[in-house]
């Protein structure tokens, strides 16, 4: 056998196998998505998301405290209003007494070292369940949608969010949010993480159950990207980088590793996030429950693919598990 054919000597030891990776998962790379409801004392299990719950602000200390001790460094908040009156413009989104703003302040006070990001969208707060404001015919009215999203983002920054992350996919919202942050005095105080390549995926089902954010009519295919639209994703990534995004995100992750790799090439000087969404998490759990593979092994393998593609930040519901597994 030719000398150049022998590769196995280079990964015959557990440590030398780790050296084959250009990037290895650390706790700092993990951002934990959590659902905050407007029942302050709530702890509500989410059946389609194993081990995940909706939390009230009064329960955040008992929920996050043990995770912070294990090394949790960042979270991203999703509001789940159950008791408010929703309307056409998503007025409850930036209500000072709403779940997100209260949770920002609570986490900042309880855990000063934890980095607090907030999802910015209107779908949980509109009476129609879409991510922006609508024309009379039910189509997206872009300009007022962008203005409203920017307004909400600024209010989250004022409440103390370290990062605002618009997931609405409205054209031009990154530039508008960046301008609002600058004009409001938060341009150098709050990170802007863009859901740049967010696809109209079938993998969001458990999240929509958790957040109550399914549209009441139609779908989101006219503003979220078509799954086969690689060119559109590349254009969106370049647009958001040019409009002032501090972090670029791809969502979902596992079916879109090529897009993550494209983003790493198109925006090489930006941190690159990917979101292992609810359906991905549920699939990995379902396979493990069926005996297809060990849960831990598949969780790591899925994330290794994201890191290999170029991700530097991973939003995943596996965060509490990884905090334990990375200490083993």
């Amino acid at each position: 056998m030719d000398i150049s054919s022998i590769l196995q000597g280079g990964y015959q030891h557990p440590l030398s196998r780790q050296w084959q990776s250009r990037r290895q998962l650390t706790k700092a790379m993990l951002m934990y998505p959590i659902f905050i409801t407007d029942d302050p004392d709530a702890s509500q299990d989410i059946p389609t998301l194993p081990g995940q719950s909706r939390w009230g602000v009064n329960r955040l200390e008992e929920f996050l405290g043990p995770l912070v001790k294990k090394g949790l460094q960042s979270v991203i908040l999703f509001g789940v209003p159950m008791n408010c009156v929703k309307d056409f413009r998503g007025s409850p989104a930036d209500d000072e007494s709403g779940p997100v703003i209260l949770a920002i302040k609570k986490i900042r006070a309880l855990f000063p070292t934890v980095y607090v990001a907030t999802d910015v969208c209107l779908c949980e707060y509109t009476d129609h369940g879409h991510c922006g404001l609508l024309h009379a015919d039910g189509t997206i009215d872009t300009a007022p949608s962008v203005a409203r999203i920017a307004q909400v983002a600024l209010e989250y920054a004022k409440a103390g969010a370290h990062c605002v992350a618009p997931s609405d996919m409205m054209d031009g919202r990154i530039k508008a949010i960046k301008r609002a942050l600058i004009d409001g005095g938060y341009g150098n105080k709050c990170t802007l993480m863009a859901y740049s390549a967010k696809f109209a995926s079938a993998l969001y089902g458990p999240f929509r159950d958790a957040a109550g954010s399914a549209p009441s009519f139609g779908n989101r295919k006219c503003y979220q990207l078509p799954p086969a639209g690689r060119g559109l994703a590349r254009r969106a990534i370049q647009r958001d980088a040019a409009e002032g995004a501090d972090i670029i995100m791809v969502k979902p992750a596992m079916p879109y590793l090529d897009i993550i790799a494209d983003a790493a090439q198109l925006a090489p000087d930006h941190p690159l996030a990917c979101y292992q969404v609810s359906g991905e998490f549920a699939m990995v759990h379902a396979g493990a429950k069926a005996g297809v593979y060990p849960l831990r092994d598949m969780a790591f393998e899925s994330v290794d693919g994201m890191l290999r593609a170029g991700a530097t930040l991973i939003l995943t519901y596996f965060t509490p598990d990884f905090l334990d597994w990375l200490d083993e």
Side-chain angles (χ1 to χ4, degrees):
M1 190 175 291
D2 192 81
I3 289 175
S4 62
S5 300
I6 303 300
L7 301 179
Q8 292 173 355
Y11 57 96
Q12 47 75 35
H13 188 278
L15 183 58
S16 63
R17 286 194 284 277
Q18 290 186 45
W19 294 339
Q20 305 306 315
S21 171
R22 300 292 184 188
R23 185 178 292 113
Q24 294 178 18
L25 185 66
T26 67
K27 293 180 181 182
M29 293 177 173
L30 300 167
M31 180 176 281
Y32 187 23
I34 59 176
F35 299 96
I36 310 296
T37 185
D38 52 4
D39 176 351
D41 298 310
S43 173
Q44 304 164 349
D45 291 343
I46 303 168
T48 52
L49 273 176
Q52 308 304 304
S53 301
R54 303 180 194 91
W55 294 92
V57 291
N58 292 345
R59 306 292 293 274
L60 288 175
E61 185 170 12
E62 67 178 89
F63 167 45
L64 293 177
L67 299 178
V68 173
K69 289 180 180 178
K70 293 178 181 181
L72 177 68
Q73 296 184 43
S74 68
V75 296
I76 182 167
L77 309 180
F78 294 88
V80 186
M82 309 294 282
N83 303 308
C84 70
V85 178
K86 301 181 181 185
D87 61 21
F88 74 97
R89 65 186 298 274
S91 296
D94 52 356
D95 184 346
E96 289 188 359
S97 61
V100 173
I101 288 179
L102 290 178
I104 294 168
K105 295 177 179 179
K106 188 78 167 182
I107 295 170
R108 289 292 308 268
L110 288 171
F111 309 108
T113 63
V114 172
Y115 185 93
V116 180
T118 57
D119 178 79
V120 183
C121 199
L122 301 180
C123 58
E124 302 101 319
Y125 305 97
T126 55
D127 52 12
H128 47 70
H130 280 279
C131 301
L133 280 65
L134 304 179
H135 288 292
D137 64 359
T139 59
I140 289 292
D141 192 352
T142 302
S145 297
V146 167
R148 178 70 182 127
I149 289 288
Q151 181 182 35
V152 173
L154 179 58
E155 292 305 312
Y156 290 168
K158 289 179 179 178
H162 296 106
C163 173
V164 290
S167 60
D168 56 287
M169 290 299 288
M170 300 295 118
D171 286 335
R173 91 274 200 212
I174 299 304
K175 185 176 182 179
I177 293 171
K178 195 72 167 185
R179 174 49 58 193
L181 291 173
I182 292 169
D183 292 348
Y186 292 87
N188 63 342
K189 298 177 183 178
C190 185
T191 300
L192 176 50
M193 178 164 64
Y195 286 69
S196 299
K198 179 180 178 180
F199 291 86
S201 173
L203 290 167
Y204 302 145
F207 177 94
R208 290 174 182 171
D209 289 345
S213 62
S216 61
F217 66 90
N219 55 54
R220 296 172 178 151
K221 293 182 179 180
C222 288
Y223 44 100
Q224 295 178 1
L225 302 180
R230 183 179 182 184
L232 272 173
R234 291 174 61 90
R235 291 163 60 193
I237 289 162
Q238 293 176 90
R239 176 197 64 190
D240 287 0
E243 288 190 3
D246 298 302
I247 301 173
I248 299 296
M249 188 200 299
V250 176
K251 176 185 178 181
M254 288 194 291
Y256 298 95
L257 297 181
D258 60 326
I259 308 301
I260 297 173
D262 282 349
Q265 178 263 322
L266 293 168
D269 299 321
H270 284 66
L272 175 54
C274 65
Y275 195 151
Q276 186 178 43
V277 301
S278 58
E280 297 175 73
F281 175 77
M283 281 197 304
V284 173
H285 265 277
K289 186 176 181 179
V292 177
Y293 41 66
L295 179 66
R296 182 187 186 278
D297 292 352
M298 191 63 235
F300 269 104
E301 184 174 342
S302 67
V303 169
D304 283 342
M306 300 165 203
L307 298 177
R308 189 178 65 247
T312 58
L313 171 62
I314 297 174
L315 287 69
T316 176
Y317 302 97
F318 278 114
T319 295
D321 299 302
F322 281 129
L323 296 176
D324 288 328
W325 293 334
L326 288 169
D327 282 338
E328 292 177 355

